[in-house]
Amino acid sequence: MAGINRAYNVNKSESRSNLLQGKECVFISHHKSDLDDCKKIADYLMKANIDVYLDEYDYDLKEQVQKQNPKGVVNCISKGISNSTHMLCVLSSQTIYSKWVPWELGYGYDKTDLGAITLKGIAEASLPDYLKTVRLIRGTQSLNQYISDVLGYSKEYLKMYSRIDEHLKPYHYLDNVLDWQL
């Protein structure tokens, strides 16, 4: 079993069912230039059977952006955050230029279990102060621990059922996206 992207319209009925059942969902807050890396992180979370909200497939949101309707954009993002249990802010050198990431974090601060994940090569010293107050995920090894904590299963259990991968192979799926450990 795998998680779904709740932003994807095709998943609307399953999304509603998962929401009503209280299934975990991670809202992925990011700068648009980091979308490819965010997709890989989202895929890894879904492989672990965690739902995500990654805006790439939210066609209602895209329509509001095209219409240049800020209120509609805010409504779509608010809905995505409100229907999520967790939020991960993806931190890169571009995140500081985002217009929406700070707003999303502020909106989700009391509504979700907030965390931040640094992309490969991002120094902790470069993080904005407001993110130094949340759980910081630095590398694939700590992402595996995060997944374990979100799901309430040990990493050993998750490895046994192929929900997470250890770095035993010459190449890990997220090696180009995250450091292994810091």
Side-chain angles (χ1 to χ4, degrees), residues 116-118 135-149 155 178-182:
I117 185 167
T118 57
R135 179 177 185 167
L136 186 60
I137 298 163
R138 306 254 310 140
T140 309
Q141 191 171 38
S142 64
L143 179 59
N144 284 345
Q145 184 61 54
Y146 175 80
I147 291 169
S148 172
D149 294 344
K155 288 195 301 185
L178 305 174
D179 295 302
W180 172 244
Q181 65 182 4
L182 294 174

Side-chain angles (χ1 to χ4, degrees), residues 24-132:
E24 295 82 6
C25 180
V26 176
F27 182 97
I28 300 176
S29 178
H30 65 285
H31 186 271
K32 62 185 173 186
S33 66
D34 298 319
L35 182 60
D36 289 340
D37 290 341
C38 292
K39 284 180 182 179
K40 290 177 182 176
I41 293 168
D43 288 345
Y44 194 70
L45 291 169
M46 289 187 293
K47 174 187 171 197
N49 195 25
I50 296 173
D51 286 358
V52 300
Y53 175 94
L54 181 61
D55 63 1
E56 171 66 8
Y57 301 108
D58 188 334
Y59 297 113
D60 296 334
L61 175 62
K62 286 184 178 203
E63 180 181 351
Q64 299 306 314
V65 169
Q66 281 182 335
K67 289 180 177 179
Q68 296 181 353
N69 179 3
K71 186 172 182 172
V73 171
V74 165
N75 287 339
C76 289
I77 294 171
S78 299
K79 182 179 174 185
I81 294 170
S82 295
N83 291 333
S84 299
T85 55
H86 296 74
M87 181 186 292
L88 273 182
C89 176
V90 177
L91 301 170
S92 72
S93 58
Q94 297 302 308
T95 306
I96 61 170
Y97 302 111
S98 174
K99 297 176 187 176
W100 287 104
V101 168
W103 184 88
E104 291 169 352
L105 294 175
Y107 186 83
Y109 191 82
D110 292 331
K111 294 172 180 55
T112 64
D113 184 343
L114 186 57
I117 185 167
T118 57
L119 293 182
K120 193 171 188 96
I122 300 299
E124 191 168 345
S126 68
L127 302 180
D129 286 341
Y130 63 89
L131 287 175
K132 293 178 181 175

